[in-house]
Structure formats: C-alpha cells, structure tokens
Amino acid sequence: MNRKLAPESAELSRRTLLKVMAVGALGAVTGIGSTAIITQLEHVVPSRYFFFSENEADLLIAICEQIIPRDDTPGATDAGVIHFIDRQLVSTLSRHQQNYRVGLEAFRRTCQQVHRLPFEKLTFDQQTATLRLLELGKVPKELWGEPSPQAFFKLVLNHTRQGFYGSPRHGGNRNYVSFKILGVDYPQIIGQNRYVKGGL
Amino acid sequence: MILKHINAIVVGAGAGGGIVAKELSSAGLSVVLLERGDWVGFQKHDHDDLINQREPVLGNGFGPDERSPRVSEGSSGQWAIVGPNDSGYGNNAACVGSGTVSYGAMAWRYMEQDFQMRSLYGAPEGSTLEDWPITYAELEPCYEKAEWEIGVSGDMRANPFSSPRSRPYPMPPFPYNREGRILETAAKQLGLHPFPIPMLRNSVPYGGRNACIACRYCVGFACEISAKNGTHNTAIPAALATGQCELRTNCIVSEIVVDDHGQARGVRYFDAQGRAQYQTSDVVVVAGAAIETARLLLNSKSKLFPTGAGNRHDWVGRNLQGHAYSGALGIFEEETYDDIGSGATIAISDFNHGNPGIRGGAVLCNEFIRLPYQFSGQRPPGAALWGKAHKDFQRQFFKRCVAVNGPVQEMPRFEARVQVDPVVKDHWGIPVARLSGQRHPADIETGRFIAARAEEWLKAAGAVRTWTNLPGTAARGGQHQAGTCRMGRDPKTSVTNSYGQLHDIDNLFVADGSLHVTNGGFNPVLTIMALGFRVGHYIAQNWKAGGFQ
C-alpha cells in the first residue's frame, strides 16, 4: 500500500503538471522561451509552506507518517503535522531551522546511499527499518555532523507528537483528530449538567 | 524623577509577597508591590496543550520569557545558559500571583515532624539538615489564616497522621473522581489511610468567586472562572482595595540599596519602559521565590556586605531544595479516566514519616489529568516510542492509566546553591542566577522507597502493569524551590530569624520559600502563604510600636 504521499501532495503534483503543460503551450504559440515564463510563474505560485521546500516537505511528511501512521484512524499526514512543524519553524521554534534543513538533507543522502532510492519510494516496512537505524545512529557517519542522526530523529519525533496530540490552533491535530481518536471532548462540555452538582 | 518615599516595598507578587502586601497595607503602611511580570489570566493564556506551565514546548503562559536566562550546571560539570522553558532552569512563573495562578493548588500543611527533621533523624553526612526555629504549633494560626483568607476545600478527619488543627477547612472537600474511588478501595485493603487532597480551589462558591466546574485544564493553566484561589484573586486585590498599596508590574528589581550603617534604604529597579528607578522605603521585603530572592540579595553589594546583603557567612543561596518527585504509573483493563478535573483527588500520608531507615518521605497522591500530548511521552520501559505500537498504546491506555506521585523531601546541601554568574547578564544587564549542585544520595533512596509504595498501591488497585518514575540527580529547585535564605537561630548558619528578618539588616525581610529550612514531603505553597502572614504580621506589629521609622 502506498502511504507515503499526502493527498494534497498528489493534488499539487497534478496542478504543477497542468501548469507546465499550459505554459509549454503558451510558449509554443507566442514564440517566447517557455523556460523564462515558467521561472516567472514559479514566483507567483504561493508555496504551501513557510519554511520547507516541496521536496523537504514530501520527505518529512513520510517520516512523520512513520512516527504516527494512519491505520483504521488518521495519522500524522491527515492531522497536518507537516503544517504544525512548518509554522513553528518560522516562529516559536525558529532555532531549529538549521537542524531541519541540514538533517533532512543528510537523511535524503543517507537513503540514497543505502537504498539507491528516495525514502518516499521505499516500502512502508523498509521506511520503518531505515528510521530505526536513524534513531540508533546506525547511518553512514560521513553524511552526518550537526545535528547527529539521533538528535535529528528525536527532534522530529517530539514535534510530530506535539503536532498530532497538541492543540489544533498551532496547525496540527487538524479537526481534533487525535482528541477524537482518544475519545476526549473538545471543546470541553461544561455547564450542561454533565458533571454531578457539588461534585461535583 | 524621584519617587515618593513609602513605608514598605515588597518585591514579588507571588504566594508570599502578595500576602505580605495585603497584611502591611491593611495595617496602614504605604506599600509598593513590585512584580517583574504582568497580570495574566485565561484571557491571555487559555487552554493550550503546548503553551502552559506544565508543557511549555511552545512557550510558557505565565512567564518569564527569554529575556531572563539562567546559567545551570549540567550533569557533567558543564555550564549552560538556559531559558525558562529548558530543563535545568527551575522555573516557577513571573506574573501577578506567580505560581498561584497556574498551580495545581494542593493546600498542604507540613507535619509537626517536618519542622524538626534534624532532631528526629540526625543529619546525614554531606547534608546541612537542621530544625526550623519555629514549631508547627507556632505556624498553625498562620496556616489557618491562609486556609480561610485564600480559600481551601478539604477534610482531614480521615488522615490520622495530620497535625492538630484548631479549625476545620472553610469548604467541603472535593469528592473522589474515578481514579480516587479505585485507589480508595485499594488503600484500605492495604491498611493505608486515604483522604481527599486539600485544594486552594472552591468546591462551593467562596469569597465571592465561583465553585469549580471540574475542567480538564487545571494544573498549568489559569482558571477560566476564577475558582482556583491564588494571591492574584484574593490577597492582592484586597491589598489594592485598601488604597494603601500600589502594584507596579513589569518592574525588574536589580538591587536592594543598603547604606553604610547596614540599613536597607530602598530598591533600584527598571520600570515597564526600561527606565532606571530608585524607590526608597522604611522596610524592604523580598519575595521573589528561592532562586530570584537569593540572586537579588547576592546582587545587592554594599560596604558592609561586599558579597551580598545578609551574606556575611556565605549562606545566601545555599540549601537550594525542591522535591525529588517519585512515583509510579499503572495501566488498567477498565477505564479509569472520567474527565473530571483537576484529576488529583486522593492522598495517603502513611509514608511521610516513620519509614524504616529513611529520613522523611512523601505524601502520595494520584496525579492531575495528563493531557494527550503529555501522555504520549509516558510509556513503560521498553515500550515503543513511535509507530503503530506507540499509537496503539496511546489509544488503548489514555483512559486506562493512573499515576501516583509523591514530593519526596530532600536533604538540604550546602553545595546545592544559587550564585550570581560572573559573566552572563539578563536583558536589563543584571547578573543572572547560576544554579549548581547535586541531590543528596539519600533523596534517591527515599525516592525508590516512595516509588515502590506507589507501585504497590497501583497493583492493589488492579493495575495490570506498573512502572516507576525516579528522580534525577540535579538539584535545581523547580516550582517547589526553597531553602536559599533559611531561617534559624544561629546567624552563622542561617540568613534570617524566625520572622524572615535578616540577621544583619533589621529592616530587610524575606517572605517566600527561601525561608524553608526543610521543604516537607508536601507541595509547599500553603506554608509559603502561612509564612507570608507571619512575616507580614510581625512587620505590622513592630511598625505600630514605632519600629523601622
């Protein structure tokens, strides 16, 4: 089963493709070099992310989905964990920008070296095994400096848990999915005789 | 600009300072209450799982902010600059009411034995264990004042270890939640003596404020209906209502000015606009909690006290204590969660004293509600930290997990301390607190003992699996910080007398947990409040007799 691609990533890929086709057609009609127009258009298409590139986001989405996978209930991708992390990295947690930028690149190269494939193209079980090695630091040493593989994994692990189980206002836990999974009312139901009076 | 001379300055509007300000202003003294934080409340910081005093992963709701760093010794002897949300900082809060706005509000009196730890147990090697210069009986009237003026719900009749009380609580206790009922039966089977936790929270309307609506977000949060009682909604408004007390918020005190005759003249501070100010007064009371109070005294150097006010014998900042929290978690087959906040309802005091081979102990209570994110970090040893297995555990046990914890009484140590850092300064250019020292090995032993009792209790209650939580080795005070300006009879081994009055500077007082000689096996806030009444009453009495003027 293909779990690695978020529905909206698939959507974007489709849109990008249409856009490229349209520009190509326009270039052919007007005779203007299509490359130049594509470059211009790239600037006016707003990114869905504040910090991450699309490639970084695709990789991180796949990692987060491993940490809290979708099964019969929603997982990290459904909860929008990527948007939680992305938003925090340009605000409260901006001190971790470099850890993500460098860590994701080191992890991308790790997968390329070990599997000759991007992480997103591995099977779910291969992804799990690869992340386990990252967690333990059993990765090609020459590809990693700061952050260490263990520290990078722990960072993503903690932020994924926060994005999934924390308050929805920060960009994650979309539609209160984790609260619904756990059966926790949100907002709380108070003052409707739900609690026994006096103690209530 | 020269500020008008007043009778008393109180530094810090928390549990101790708020009460002193109220005692002094209602006795007729003109008071300026200086607070480094601001008014905060539910309007500013509501129910956010990631921004609160318990889980400050995206910031803390109740201060301080990154402008107030500290330096903390790592386990390896390395010094690190830490922010308020980092471990090792030992944060409490910085706002009007301080920790009493967002606390869990357990309202414990210490036991008679807690005031006589050295006589009872003898000091272990490597410890400065000492008796308080006052007994429980001397503090009892002040405990009673705190319970009635601030407001406590409780009933101690089922606790045979309780110290004598001259008056019951003003409000009935909170009933047990589902966890409490499960644990009550088990405790009785074990021959223990369970009773409801006394709380600074209204079980019925009290003091013109609401009764608690049992919401999930209690500890770590401001109460949205003001049913949790702190100094921000009791003593401080009462002080302001006298017309004698002026509260100045966002004011950072840098120094107590001590003259060449050894008298405090006033304080220097930076006001909300960052302007340097000098406020003079007849009396100065410092109530910034154990870390900041010690820092301020140490930063107040004068001709007679070149190493800091009251620090002639190098005791200011020593004996930093908190609690070596220990306990256990258990998972159950049936649901234990009923979504009735605050969640902590039941206690046993069977293991506070009289434990074989152990000095002191701790009260054991069931834990406040663990919110989903918090619970996602609580797993037994060896359990998956991520992936489907982690998610399954979360789903299966979020509502089937009970935690029992105890604030283990620590042995005070000379080397567990607050200093001022020689290099690092805060946003206002004031040398920051530097924290160092390790817990006494006996604390870890006591922790193991207490955790084992918690585990037994959970097993008796039907837990299918249990695991313990043991304390770390670093002594950093934390929310229960205490001991850094301890009271005593001997000026050579203590900082103040039994009224919080500095041995060396008779118009300079301390009124917070810094005074605690030992920190009890209980949450300390009611004792800090009681000491606030004691110190405030003493100053007011002397004032009326013509003192300090």
Side-chain angles (χ1 to χ4, degrees), chain A residues 171-191:
Chain A
N173 198 0
R174 184 187 289 154
N175 298 325
Y176 316 106
V177 285
S178 70
F179 296 167
K180 284 177 189 162
I181 291 171
L182 300 179
V184 180
D185 296 329
Y186 193 91
Q188 293 182 99
I189 300 164
I190 287 173

Side-chain angles (χ1 to χ4, degrees), chain A residues 66-67 69 71-74 92 135 153 161-162 165 167 169-170 181-186 188 190 199-200, chain B residues 46-49 57-58 175 212-213 215-217 339 372-373 376-377 385-388 391 394-395 398-399:
Chain A
Q66 276 288 325
I67 291 170
D71 42 24
D72 55 319
T73 58
T92 313
E135 183 184 22
F153 179 80
R161 282 171 41 220
Q162 289 160 17
Y165 292 114
S167 301
R169 62 175 58 156
H170 303 295
I181 291 171
L182 300 179
V184 180
D185 296 329
Y186 193 91
Q188 293 182 99
I190 287 173
L200 312 195
Chain B
D46 58 4
H47 297 159
D48 194 316
D49 299 39
V57 294
L58 297 184
C212 171
I213 52 173
C215 118
R216 187 189 308 147
Y217 296 85
D339 207 28
Y373 167 64
S376 74
L385 300 177
W386 55 281
K388 181 162 166 55
K391 188 181 176 188
Q394 184 87 358
R395 281 187 289 197
F398 177 73
K399 292 190 170 182

